């Protein structure tokens, strides 16, 4: 269920966001662009339904996406991917889940949840640039599933084996789309080589 998107544009943009000299303005733009490409890939196998369209010339058949969509960024860093995904899915409803990692235990702590109505009927994309221990992604998906959602895909920018293993164990039904799959976590729970703290780099905080 792990799909690594090895597109040349992605490889180029990943190298730019890894660079510690890249400031938050460029970092934000690049994360958003990567999110758009991930969204393109993540919708490739989505279902479409036939409709009838009246063009200015004639009536013909066409196809539109079969499901309504929900996009759920995990606060804070997932916000950096929101606009890039909505560029391709502007009709999606947007939910937010606020989680932070306790710095000592690395366990996710929930502080906010607001989800779209009828989430059980929607194709839901959960967004977070970093899949590190997998605790945040897994907890966010627990919260969404508790509201009835079943069709869920997880989109991230950087993943690592520990996070993928944890998420696949807890949510084997959820495909993971990642721009790059890094080698490991360090002792502080940061992805190596990674890009540092995604939230701080997006928002210029420390
Ligand atoms: C970061 C990141 C993920 C989480 C990933 O958030 O945006 O949500 O860490 O780590 P995990 O896979 O080990 O759970 P952080 O806790 O730093 O909060 P922030 O987005 O508010 O900065
Ligand atoms: N969260 C981040 O922002 N970066 C990491 O490397 C791990 C978790």
């Amino acid at each position: 269920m792990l799909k690594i998107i090895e597109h040349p544009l992605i490889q180029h943009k990943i190298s730019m966001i890894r660079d510690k000299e890249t400031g938050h303005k460029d970092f934000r733009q690049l994360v958003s662009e990567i999110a758009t490409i991930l969204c393109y890939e993540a919708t490739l196998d989505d279902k479409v339904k036939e409709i009838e369209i009246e063009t200015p010339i004639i009536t013909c058949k066409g196809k539109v996406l079969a499901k309504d969509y929900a996009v759920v960024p995990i606060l804070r860093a997932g916000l950096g991917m929101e606009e890039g995904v909505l560029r391709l899915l502007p009709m999606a409803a947007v939910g937010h889940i606020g989680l932070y990692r306790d710095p000592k235990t690395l366990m996710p702590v929930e502080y906010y949840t607001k989800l779209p109505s009828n989430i059980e009927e929607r194709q839901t994309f959960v967004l977070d640039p970093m899949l590190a221990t997998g605790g945040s992604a897994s907890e966010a998906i627990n919260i969404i599933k508790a509201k009835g959602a079943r069709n869920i895909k997880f989109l991230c920018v950087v993943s690592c084996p520990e996070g993928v293993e944890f998420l696949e164990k807890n949510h084997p039904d959820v495909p993971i789309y990642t721009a790059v799959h890094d080698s490991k976590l360090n002792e502080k729970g940061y992805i190596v080589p990674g890009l540092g703290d995604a939230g701080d780099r997006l928002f210029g905080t420390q």
Side-chain angles (χ1 to χ4, degrees):
M1 293 297 252
L2 175 67
K3 299 179 202 246
I4 305 168
I5 312 304
E6 286 172 334
H7 193 291
L9 283 171
I10 291 240
Q11 292 174 22
H12 178 87
K13 291 173 196 296
I14 286 287
S15 297
M16 295 172 86
I17 56 173
R18 282 198 200 279
D19 186 340
K20 66 178 186 187
E21 300 301 336
T22 299
H24 57 265
K25 179 170 165 285
D26 289 338
F27 190 92
R28 213 179 283 151
Q29 164 126 20
L30 288 158
V31 167
S32 181
E33 291 166 356
I34 291 169
T36 303
I37 301 170
L38 289 173
C39 179
Y40 172 82
E41 294 285 341
T43 46
L44 276 177
D45 61 357
D46 283 359
K47 292 203 171 37
V48 288
K49 64 181 178 193
E50 208 164 81
I51 58 161
E52 212 160 78
I53 310 161
E54 273 186 43
T55 80
I57 312 295
I58 197 175
T59 299
C60 69
K61 291 197 187 309
K63 287 179 180 165
V64 294
L65 291 164
K67 281 187 177 287
D68 288 335
Y69 280 74
V71 172
V72 183
I74 301 176
L75 307 179
R76 218 174 20 143
L79 286 177
M81 298 174 71
E82 182 179 311
E83 190 203 321
V85 169
L86 290 179
R87 203 169 289 146
L88 297 188
L89 293 172
M91 66 303 212
V94 182
H96 294 94
I97 295 180
L99 294 174
Y100 69 87
R101 281 201 317 181
D102 181 286
K104 285 211 179 75
T105 64
L106 300 183
M107 296 298 287
V109 181
E110 181 188 350
Y111 60 88
Y112 182 81
T113 295
K114 188 87 178 168
L115 295 173
S117 57
N118 304 335
I119 196 147
E120 67 282 359
E121 288 159 22
R122 296 177 185 270
Q123 172 66 60
T124 299
F125 286 2
V126 180
L127 316 177
D128 194 323
M130 309 306 282
L131 182 61
T133 64
S136 303
S138 185
E139 182 57 19
I141 293 168
N142 285 340
I143 293 167
I144 295 167
K145 282 186 174 174
K147 298 278 181 200
R150 288 295 167 263
N151 297 299
I152 302 170
K153 295 179 179 179
F154 180 73
L155 278 57
C156 62
V157 175
V158 186
S159 60
C160 65
E162 294 87 337
V164 168
E165 193 185 324
F166 189 74
L167 191 53
E168 283 183 338
K169 180 165 70 75
N170 291 336
H171 298 291
D173 55 310
V174 175
I176 303 167
Y177 293 81
T178 186
V180 70
H181 189 58
D182 275 2
S183 47
K184 58 174 186 176
L185 285 182
N186 69 14
E187 64 291 345
K188 290 190 175 148
Y190 278 87
I191 299 178
V192 181
L195 45 75
D197 187 305
D200 285 344
R201 295 204 58 195
L202 275 165
F203 297 112
T205 52
Q206 275 204 353

